[in-house]
Amino acid sequence: MIDLGLSKLALIGVVALVVVGPERLPKVARMAGTLFGRAQRYISDVKAEVSREIELEELRKMQKEMQEAATDVEQTITSNLAELESDVQEALRNPLLEPGEEPSQMAVKAKDFRKKKLARNSAIPAWYKKQNGRRTRVISGAARVAKYRPAGARKTPASFH
């Protein structure tokens, strides 16, 4: 900006008084003041608009970055979800298969399992289980208590009161 000191302002005032004259000097000073005020307001408006444009451009850049980040996150989630869905579909198609196992191997496993179960359940005859105290039938805990309770100790519903 222009550096105006007191001496320079006094020099400008003396020149204006000589050039314009003492009658029209107040009118010219008023007009110069209004023009100077308008120029200041115009300059401040231009500065404000430039700063708003700069802020708006920064906001646009930030919005673009956020949209790109959101798109990246969405793509990552979509790809992970698709991968997970394919894994679940594969697991649903072959639930008992180990990774790298063929469906024919699953049939062999099922057959072996049935053989082992049959061998466990039928290898010991029922008369031997009964003789050695092994249970042949499962009964509930309440039924066992009632079975072994003495006859006089049984409570009837009327004796609960």
Side-chain angles (χ1 to χ4, degrees):
M1 289 266 354
I2 300 171
D3 185 28
L4 293 176
L6 188 60
S7 62
K8 290 182 182 177
L9 284 176
L11 181 64
I12 291 172
V14 170
V15 171
L17 183 63
V18 171
V19 172
V20 176
E23 301 91 35
R24 295 189 308 174
L25 185 62
K27 197 181 219 183
V28 170
R30 223 177 288 123
M31 188 165 63
T34 57
L35 289 175
F36 185 70
R38 283 183 188 170
Q40 280 185 335
R41 284 191 296 276
Y42 177 73
I43 289 173
S44 68
D45 287 346
V46 168
K47 283 182 182 179
E49 189 161 334
V50 167
S51 67
R52 270 183 287 191
E53 286 294 324
I54 290 171
E55 289 175 2
L56 189 61
E57 187 62 34
E58 288 175 1
L59 288 175
R60 285 183 184 138
K61 286 180 184 177
M62 192 182 306
Q63 180 186 16
K64 186 178 179 182
E65 290 172 2
M66 289 298 166
Q67 285 177 341
E68 289 173 357
T71 304
D72 289 345
V73 168
E74 183 181 5
Q75 288 174 352
T76 303
I77 290 173
T78 303
S79 66
N80 287 344
L81 186 62
E83 183 180 325
L84 184 63
E85 188 175 317
S86 67
D87 290 347
V88 168
Q89 290 296 330
E90 181 65 30
L92 287 176
R93 274 188 243 120
N94 300 319
L96 298 176
L97 291 180
E98 297 293 326
E101 199 173 32
E102 300 279 330
S104 61
Q105 292 172 336
M106 188 174 75
V108 170
K109 274 187 170 181
K111 190 174 181 182
D112 288 343
F113 178 76
R114 282 193 298 271
K115 279 183 182 179
K116 288 178 184 177
K117 185 175 179 185
L118 184 63
R120 271 194 318 262
N121 292 342
S122 63
I124 302 172
W127 63 267
Y128 183 79
K129 289 179 185 177
K130 193 172 188 179
Q131 181 182 5
N132 290 325
R134 283 184 136 177
R135 283 190 240 158
T136 55
R137 284 186 235 132
V138 179
I139 59 173
S140 68
R144 274 186 258 130
V145 169
K147 181 177 177 183
Y148 295 110
R149 182 179 290 154
R154 291 192 182 157
K155 294 185 179 181
T156 60
S159 65
F160 285 125
H161 298 300

